[in-house]
Structure formats: structure tokens, C-alpha cells
Amino acid sequence: MNPPIVELPWLPTPPEDFVQRCQALASGSASPGLEAASLAAFRLSAQQSLLLGRAIRRCRTAGADLSPLSGFRLGVLASTTFDLVTDCIPAAAARHGVSVEIVSAPYDQVMQQALDPTSDINRGRLDAVLVAVDHRWLNLDHADLASGGLERVQSALAKLQAVVQNLRSHGNAAAILQTVPAPPQTLFGSYDRRVPGSVRAMVDDINRGIISLANETGSYVLDAAALAERIGTDLWFDPVHWVSYKLPFSAECFPVYADMLGRLLGAIRGKARKCLVLDLDNTVWGGVIGDDGLEGIVVGQGGPRGEAFLSVQQCALELRQRGVILAVSSKNDDAVARRPFREHPDMLLREDHFAVFQANWIDKPANLQAIAKALNIGVDALVVLDDNPAERAQIRAALPMVAVPELPNDPSRYAWYLTAAGYFEAVAYSTEDAARADSYKADARRTEVMATTRDLGDYLKSLEMKIRFAPFDAKSRQRITQLINKTNQFNLTTRRYTEADVAAMEVDDAVFTLQVRLEDKFGDLGMIGVVICRAAGDTWEIDTWLMSCRVLGRRVEETVLAHLIPAAREHGITRLLGTYLPTAKNALVSDHYAKLGFTPIEDTPAARRFELAVEAYKATELPFEVESV
Amino acid sequence: MTRSEILKKIRDNLAIAVDDPALQISEATTSDDVEEWDSVNHMKLIIALESELGIRFEPDEITSLADVKGLVDLIEQKL
């Protein structure tokens, strides 16, 4: 059996002084966001989660800056007594990079709150609303053999659809729908699945319907059914607490449910991890390559230990195929560490799979910083798989934002720990994601070219860049939303929008939208920029201008402006108004508009504003082939 | 577990439920004496005690437990 997921076994045990640290956080900390994230990274019980959640709330109430956590306003619409679950959510969200503020509807007011335009939920300016209903609220808690259940399922879906649509139209909030766990009782036994109208058959049907509804409405999905299934529905459901308190499921499951929701909020905010860093000896193969040699290490079919390490490699490889970047950090001589990847016939992982390979004798935290720097990502995007508890502790102490799962002794369980922790949660998946691991490797090669070319202009020309401009469209909507929500550095205003907001902009005549894609001779970089302009008279206010940091120093921003100018003229616009709203992460672009020739018109700590008369723009030659839709 | 140890467990968990770290109670305390000891916080207390002590209360027992002495008695029986 696997370890019980309800105990969050990949997280380290909280320190003795956990309660004191929560109190210290509540009464004022130098970097409250970082301290909250560090405290959240432990294996917290429901009570400990509540204490930390309260401390975070006090920080927020006191007006503290909780960065690097991203803010999120979450509504909770529950058909059951949800208070104890809600208590666990802020700590779990902090674990995944989010500072969540919760607006809860009273018990069992789901429909009323959704339909009433003036309800707390609809007036809460919420980023998303968790619709926490189960088979009971959906009227699927008893069999409907007479009529076969079809109408029952359809009317349940219609209820959900009404909730989703009203949340959108009254509160402009996205819904988080959850799948429905099937209660364990059977009526016929194994035959239940074959009887239309049995609870099991109806729950199967509604779960398919919920996924379709989410796809159609741009809602998020929390797969509660999958969580209940892996926990076991006999443990998930608690009939005593249901009749006594109307608790939605067993109290033991509250922290892990909250963690799963936290992952989803993190993914919505672009906080999911991006890169898996592997230790080598006794993590991807058995033994120590420097001591045991190529013949001595254990990996491959034919024995339990060799197959166990193979399963770790298989897991890493599958993650890479969906876009997770792989890197190596190992205490080894470089040439020695590379040998198994080059010469061992049973290795699944090859050198080619890694974007960065750090095998040396420098301490691991320094290596991890180097990896993050080479990939141009934050250390908070790294997950480190390392069998050595001392190394794990050292990394956590030096770099608390790096995720380092605990590991058991047996390597056959490593992949379970790595995946159960939910570091790489996603709310969308595109072909660009799949290509990301390769594209980061191409970045490394571009850097090599840079080193052999002396002149920047020559370098840029040698890249043979093709830039493509297009307005927002349905097929790019997910990627646009992803960029809007996860871009922190090259982001002038850091305004976040949901997929539905983006869809609305596609058809809004007062909004000019731009998606920017870039390709060079090393490969397709995909979508690398988003611009949103809002018309006000003869002025375009640049609401959003963000770009991927990977294209810094390539004059992309100048090319974007060169594209905006004629577009503005076509729309009868004579003036562009640019705003820079400073955050902890976007100092990089504080002079963005000044560099582009805009004139400063306002400069306060909260905002800097610039303007550019369309007629005053001077065109220059830029190293791009431009394609415009 | 002695009665005073049980009392301390109740105090610690009730203190968290009502969000008053300095809360003081004795066996004579009832829910009327603690302002925030309402039905939701009572539920929080019961669930926390169940998970911490590895015991379960019957539905009938739970509703009638808004005094500390009764709670100590019941836990003593269950341990």
C-alpha cells in the first residue's frame, strides 16, 4: 500500500516552535509573505492550518505586503457545513504561492447566492468561486431505477449550469466546479454500473457532464472524485459526521482537500513549479557512480531495485513530455556524472533531456540558484528530488521557496511522493507547454551563439527572427490567460484576468488586443507577449503590456510599439498612455516607456504614467520579419 | 490520562476554536461562560478532540456537551 495521502507525507514535520512562529508572523514580520510560505511548507494538521491561516489574515488586515505570495479572492459556495474545510484553505494556498482571501456563503445557500445579484458572493469582486456541492445537493443520493436517472442527471447539470452562469453574469467570477465522489454503498453490487439510474451510474454520468460544462464555460475543475477515490470512499465519507454536523466528508481529509484546492489556485496564478531538479546517486540510479562505476550502479529491468530507479526516470521523462524542464544537481565530477547518461544501456534519461546539468562539488543551494538563473526562472519554480535527508534540510534552510519533497527509503515509492505533492498542477495544456522543455534547451544554445558573436546587432540579425502579431482569438485564449496570470517581471501593470475576461475582450470594440509570437532559427518560442489597449476618446490607455523574459534584449518591445502606432492611426487614436505600476518583481520595466520615447507625465510611488503622441513616433530599422493578422 | 490532562486538552482546543490563546476554563465552565463558544465552534472543538485523542463521539452525545465537566466525563469513559 502507498502511504496515506491524507497525511501529506511528502511534507516535513512542523518545527517545535510552529505555534510561536505563527504568533510572531501575526504580530508583524519583516517578510511576512516569505515566512507564511515557509510555515505552510510543513505537514500541517487542520488545527495548525487554522492557526497559520489566522496569522496570514492578520498580516493582511494590518496591511502587510504578502509578496511573493499572489493575492486571490475566493468565494466558497457550499451545500454542507464547510467552515472546517475553509479554515484549512489559506495555509494550503500559501503552500502553493497564493495569499487567499475567502468570502463564504452561509450554509446551503448555493443557488440563492448565485442568483441574487446583490449577494455577498456576487458583490465580492471574486477571482473565482468554489462550488462545493456533492451528490446530495445534486439529488443523486438515491437511485432512480424507475426512470433510469437521465432526467435526474440533466436537471442536476442544469442546476450547476445556472450557478456557473449567474456567478459569471452577476459577479464576473469564474467557477471552480468539483467532480462528485461516488458514495460507497451499493444497491446491486457489481451490477450497479450496468443499471441506469443507480447512484453509481448517475454519478459517472454527472462527472462526464461536469467536465463538459467546465469546458464550455471556461470553469476550473477540482477533481474531488479522484481525491476521494485514492483515499478510498469508505474513508472519505463519514455518515456520523454527516448526520451530526452535515460535514461534507471526513475531517481527516480536510487538509489534503485544501492542499488540492491550493494547488489549483497556485496554477491559476501561474505559481505551479516549472523545473524538476534531480540528484543522481541513489535518486535516479542505485549506488554511487564515483565509487561503484558504470558496472556497479543499479538501474534497469530484471531486479526490484533497478526497476524502482527506472520508475523514477520514467516519471521524470513523462513530466518532461508535458513541458516540465529537467535539470541535474549532483555532487560529482562532471565527466563521471555524465557517463551513465551516455554509456549505460538501461538508462531511460539521456543528457539531451536536461536543460541544465550541474555536477560539481559546490553546495546544492548555490547550484540551484545557478540552475534558476540559467533558465531565467525563479527558485520558487524548482522542485528538487534528492534521497539525502541532510541535503534536503540544507536546501530548505537556505532556499525556503524551493520545493523539496520528503522521500522514503524505498526508491520504488519516489515517483508516488513526487506526483502526490502536486507541484506541477495545470489549468491548461497546450502544444506550447509540451514543447517548453526543448525550447529552454534552445535558449541555452542561443546563449552560446551570443558568446561567439561580438556585435549585438549582428547577433540579433543572425537569429533570423520572425514576429507575428494578431488580435486575441479563441484558440489562443488559454495561453493568453496563462501569460496574463503568471508573468511577473516584464509586466507593466500586473493586472490579472480570467479566461472569461479575455474572451470578453475578443469582442469588445473599445479594446484593442494584441498577441505576439516569435520564432527564430533555433525554434518557435510561441506566444511571448500580450498587449491590451483601452480606447478613451482619442487616447489608447495601455492597460496591459507584458512579455516573456526570455525575449529580453531582442528589441521585441520596440517592434511591438512600431506595430501599435499604425494600428492606433487606423483607429483614429492620436495618443498612447502608458502606466507602470511597481511591484516587488517588475522593477525591470520601470523605464520601459521612457526607453521607448514616451514622455513622463506623472511619477508617484504607486504609479508612473507616460504619454506618446502618435505623430511624434520615429520609426527605426528593426531586426525582424513581421507578419500581421 | 488524568482529568486535569483532559481538561488541558479541552482548553487548548477550545482556545483555538474560539481564537483566544489566553482562554482559561475549569470543570465548572459552560458554553454560556465563553462568549465565542457557539455551535460552530463547539463542532470544531469536538472534531479536534476526536482527531487528537483518537476517539469518536456518538451523535446523541455531541449535542448535549456544552459544559466542560460533562465533556471531561465522557472523554474519560472513552479513553
Side-chain angles (χ1 to χ4, degrees), chain A residues 287-300:
Chain A
V288 177
I289 183 69
D291 297 339
D292 303 329
L294 200 57
E295 296 73 28
I297 60 169
V298 184
V299 64

Side-chain angles (χ1 to χ4, degrees), chain A residues 36 42 82 191 206 268 333 356 555 562 589 622:
Chain A
F42 294 109
F82 219 67
Y191 200 62
I206 194 139
I268 294 172
D333 287 325
V356 187
R555 307 186 71 186
V589 289
L622 293 160

Side-chain angles (χ1 to χ4, degrees), chain A residues 337-351:
Chain A
R338 287 178 191 265
R339 269 195 80 194
F341 294 100
R342 290 173 178 170
E343 298 171 37
H344 200 294
D346 294 316
M347 292 279 290
L348 283 175
L349 287 171
R350 296 286 156 188
E351 262 181 295

Side-chain angles (χ1 to χ4, degrees), chain A residues 131 133-141 148-161 177-183 193 197-216 221-223 225:
Chain A
V131 184
V133 297
D134 61 11
H135 62 297
R136 300 156 180 130
W137 188 82
L138 295 163
N139 196 25
L140 303 177
D141 55 345
L150 188 63
E151 273 175 35
R152 206 80 89 68
V153 171
Q154 279 170 351
S155 101
L157 281 170
K159 263 169 100 176
L160 279 176
Q161 188 166 17
L177 297 173
Q178 54 178 20
T179 51
V180 177
R193 282 195 196 269
S198 74
V199 170
R200 168 143 327 252
M202 290 191 296
V203 167
D204 282 349
D205 288 343
I206 194 139
N207 281 334
R208 275 190 294 274
I210 286 171
I211 299 303
S212 304
L213 178 61
N215 290 340
E216 287 155 17
V221 173
L222 182 71
D223 200 351

Side-chain angles (χ1 to χ4, degrees), chain A residues 43-80:
Chain A
R43 186 187 309 179
L44 304 183
S45 67
Q47 296 283 76
Q48 289 164 327
S49 302
L50 171 61
L51 289 175
L52 176 55
R54 277 182 187 148
I56 295 172
R57 194 179 65 213
R58 281 187 188 133
C59 290
R60 190 185 306 107
T61 314
D65 174 10
L66 283 163
S67 62
L69 302 182
S70 291
F72 198 103
R73 291 180 59 79
L74 176 73
V76 175
L77 273 183
S79 60
T80 56

Side-chain angles (χ1 to χ4, degrees), chain A residues 259-475:
Chain A
D259 190 75
M260 207 163 155
L261 178 62
R263 295 169 194 180
L264 191 68
L265 302 182
I268 294 172
R269 281 286 179 261
K271 294 293 189 125
R273 309 270 167 174
K274 298 189 179 85
C275 173
L276 172 61
V277 185
L278 296 168
D279 171 53
L280 297 179
D281 292 329
N282 288 316
T283 301
V284 303
W285 56 66
V288 177
I289 183 69
D291 297 339
D292 303 329
L294 200 57
E295 296 73 28
I297 60 169
V298 184
V299 64
Q301 300 290 344
R305 234 172 110 69
E307 288 180 28
F309 287 107
L310 220 44
S311 74
V312 178
Q313 297 196 16
Q314 182 66 48
C315 177
L317 212 48
E318 279 182 35
L319 286 169
R320 184 179 186 279
Q321 278 158 7
R322 56 150 278 202
V324 174
I325 309 159
L326 299 185
V328 162
S329 170
S330 166
K331 287 196 168 160
N332 259 312
D333 287 325
D334 186 76
V336 174
R338 287 178 191 265
R339 269 195 80 194
F341 294 100
R342 290 173 178 170
E343 298 171 37
H344 200 294
D346 294 316
M347 292 279 290
L348 283 175
L349 287 171
R350 296 286 156 188
E351 262 181 295
D352 216 28
H353 294 134
F354 297 98
V356 187
F357 199 104
Q358 294 269 349
N360 53 44
W361 299 95
I362 306 166
D363 69 297
K364 289 231 169 172
N367 269 322
L368 293 169
Q369 280 170 317
I371 289 171
K373 192 153 177 256
L375 295 171
N376 204 3
I377 58 179
V379 289
D380 60 358
L382 304 180
V383 175
V384 180
L385 200 68
D386 195 319
D387 69 297
N388 184 331
E391 302 276 15
R392 295 200 295 262
Q394 192 198 5
I395 297 166
R396 286 191 198 111
L399 302 171
M401 296 306 282
V402 175
V404 194
E406 287 292 87
L407 288 178
N409 290 327
D410 186 342
S412 57
R413 296 188 189 282
Y414 287 0
W416 185 95
Y417 274 72
L418 177 60
T419 54
Y423 299 121
F424 305 108
E425 187 81 10
V427 287
Y429 177 68
S430 65
T431 46
E432 287 182 18
D433 291 321
R436 191 191 300 135
D438 279 327
S439 129
Y440 273 89
K441 225 173 54 204
D443 274 354
R445 279 190 290 144
R446 290 183 186 103
T447 317
E448 283 165 24
V449 173
M450 180 72 183
T452 57
T453 324
R454 265 189 242 129
D455 180 78
L456 181 66
D458 287 349
Y459 164 67
L460 292 178
K461 264 184 228 149
S462 78
L463 289 176
E464 297 165 21
M465 293 185 286
K466 282 185 201 141
I467 196 160
R468 277 185 298 150
F469 296 105
F472 290 1
D473 54 26
K475 65 177 187 298

Side-chain angles (χ1 to χ4, degrees), chain A residues 47 50 54 58 81 84 87 238 240-241 244-245 247 251, chain B residues 13 16-17 19 40 43-44 46-48 50 56 59 62:
Chain A
Q47 296 283 76
L50 171 61
R54 277 182 187 148
R58 281 187 188 133
T81 306
L84 280 89
D87 284 347
D238 187 329
V240 178
H241 284 166
S244 306
Y245 300 120
L247 287 188
Chain B
N13 283 294
I16 293 174
D19 195 11
V40 170
M43 170 186 71
K44 292 185 182 183
I46 293 294
I47 306 269
E50 285 186 343
R56 284 304 286 262
I62 299 165

